[in-house]
Amino acid sequence: MPRRLVHRRSVAEVFVTECISTEIPDTFVLGAQWPRAHTFYESVAGRHDTMLLAETLRQSAIYLAHTRYRVPLTSRFVMQRIHVKARSDLRQIGMYPSDVRIDAAVSGILRSDSALKQFTINLRFVIDGKVVGTGLGIANVMTPETYDRLRWTSRQADGVGPAICKEPVEPHTVGRSRSADVVLSNHPRKGVWQLRTDTTHPILFDHPCDHVPGMSVLEAVRQGAHAATGNVEAAVDELDVTFSKFVELDEHTLVIVVLDRDGHHSAVVTLEQEGTKVAVGSVRLSRPHRTP
């Protein structure tokens, strides 16, 4: 799959491999391949990281928009929502990369002067005939001019300052193995962390971005849930994030975690900048799976 069609620069980060249309309008079958090992989307007890579903959903949405709905390559995409559910018991990593069949349906199509402006994508991820997860995404599509007008309306200048990237928390407290992959810094309030944004990260910032990328926000939600629950060995069974504003690189961002009543397996995570909610996510963690 050409990198430009999924907005990636690194060939290694392109997971979508092919696509065919079906006889039913606005439905497609895509192929994807998930690697046995990845430097960032680390396996949990021999099972694929749920974040692979989210990134594959993002790539699928962009690819379909460009190739099936005539969206120019210059257009900009803004995700409103990403929701993935995974069957951790079925995402076992085998002796070879996992070939994934993706059943995709596009709905909620909004157009302006025949140009695609918004759409919803629903996905089923299938490996070896078994459904291993589902996904839903809602995306807005904008011309560069519309994007610039929306993007910079609330800012003083057409640009951003240096990203805020303080010292990371200990990796093991957020379920990571490397400090470079930690997106949280400590904060004095209990249940609160600060987002740290490293624009040199080779995966989260595969290409330059004028705001915190959506996958970085998803990772902050995941790490916040792990940090607050202490359930750091658990896989993510479900993740649902809604984006309400651009998450600015150069503003302090609080990651506020409220645990569900069980205290160990689910949480609501809110990202705030200057007292305004910019994203809200809910996370459901599984009990840790251990290999025999």
Side-chain angles (χ1 to χ4, degrees):
M1 187 69 66
R3 294 168 292 170
R4 67 184 184 277
L5 294 180
V6 295
H7 294 193
R8 282 297 182 212
R9 285 193 174 178
S10 172
V11 172
E13 299 310 312
V14 178
F15 300 132
V16 176
T17 58
E18 56 191 324
C19 176
I20 60 173
S21 300
T22 75
E23 296 179 353
I24 303 173
D26 300 312
T27 63
F28 312 89
V29 177
L30 298 99
Q33 189 176 83
W34 294 339
R36 295 173 63 194
H38 192 276
T39 58
F40 184 72
Y41 302 114
E42 296 179 335
S43 62
V44 178
R47 289 165 171 82
H48 286 297
D49 186 356
T50 301
M51 291 300 182
L52 278 173
L53 278 72
E55 173 59 19
T56 305
L57 181 153
R58 188 196 69 83
Q59 292 186 19
S60 299
I62 294 172
Y63 173 80
L64 289 174
H66 284 318
T67 64
R68 299 303 194 268
Y69 296 93
R70 301 189 301 278
V71 171
L73 290 173
T74 55
S75 294
R76 306 295 296 269
F77 290 78
V78 177
M79 297 301 298
Q80 290 190 330
R81 183 184 178 195
I82 294 178
H83 179 199
V84 290
K85 295 176 68 175
R87 288 284 304 275
S88 58
D89 58 322
L90 296 178
R91 298 197 322 277
Q92 186 73 40
I93 298 173
M95 294 297 294
Y96 305 98
S98 294
D99 291 319
V100 187
R101 172 190 167 119
I102 304 169
D103 298 319
V106 176
S107 61
I109 296 173
L110 299 179
R111 297 182 183 273
S112 176
D113 296 327
S114 77
L116 183 66
K117 295 300 180 184
Q118 186 182 87
F119 65 99
T120 298
I121 185 170
N122 281 276
L123 304 179
R124 288 197 317 159
F125 300 92
V126 182
I127 298 177
D128 295 331
K130 299 177 181 178
V131 178
V132 300
T134 59
L136 176 146
I138 302 175
N140 289 336
V141 185
M142 304 177 191
T143 64
E145 296 75 20
T146 299
Y147 178 86
D148 286 343
R149 185 168 59 250
L150 174 67
R151 178 71 183 94
W152 306 115
T153 296
S154 60
R155 291 187 63 90
Q156 297 297 320
D158 293 350
V160 295
I164 295 176
C165 186
K166 295 187 176 182
E167 288 297 312
V169 300
E170 289 295 325
H172 68 87
T173 65
V174 292
R176 304 299 312 197
S177 59
R178 302 190 315 141
S179 294
D181 294 333
V182 174
V183 299
L184 300 183
S185 296
N186 282 314
H187 189 276
R189 284 169 52 191
K190 183 178 180 181
V192 179
W193 288 264
Q194 182 167 305
L195 182 68
R196 65 181 301 270
T197 304
D198 180 5
T199 56
T200 68
H201 194 282
I203 310 302
L204 295 176
F205 282 85
D206 168 83
H207 55 277
C209 195
D210 60 36
H211 57 276
V212 177
M215 290 302 296
S216 292
V217 174
L218 265 63
E219 184 63 22
V221 172
R222 188 231 308 248
Q223 291 188 21
H226 277 143
T229 63
N231 197 6
V232 296
E233 294 184 357
V236 174
D237 279 351
E238 185 172 5
L239 179 65
D240 190 354
V241 178
T242 300
F243 307 86
S244 53
K245 296 187 67 176
F246 291 104
V247 184
E248 301 292 352
L249 294 165
D250 57 355
E251 293 184 11
H252 291 279
T253 307
L254 297 183
V255 180
I256 304 167
V257 185
V258 177
L259 300 180
D260 200 355
R261 286 175 294 180
D262 67 13
H264 295 287
H265 299 289
S266 57
V268 173
V269 183
T270 302
L271 274 67
E272 287 188 3
Q273 289 187 326
E274 303 295 332
T276 299
K277 294 180 181 179
V278 292
V280 178
S282 60
V283 190
R284 181 166 54 84
L285 302 174
S286 65
R287 297 187 180 279
H289 290 284
R290 300 183 184 277
T291 54

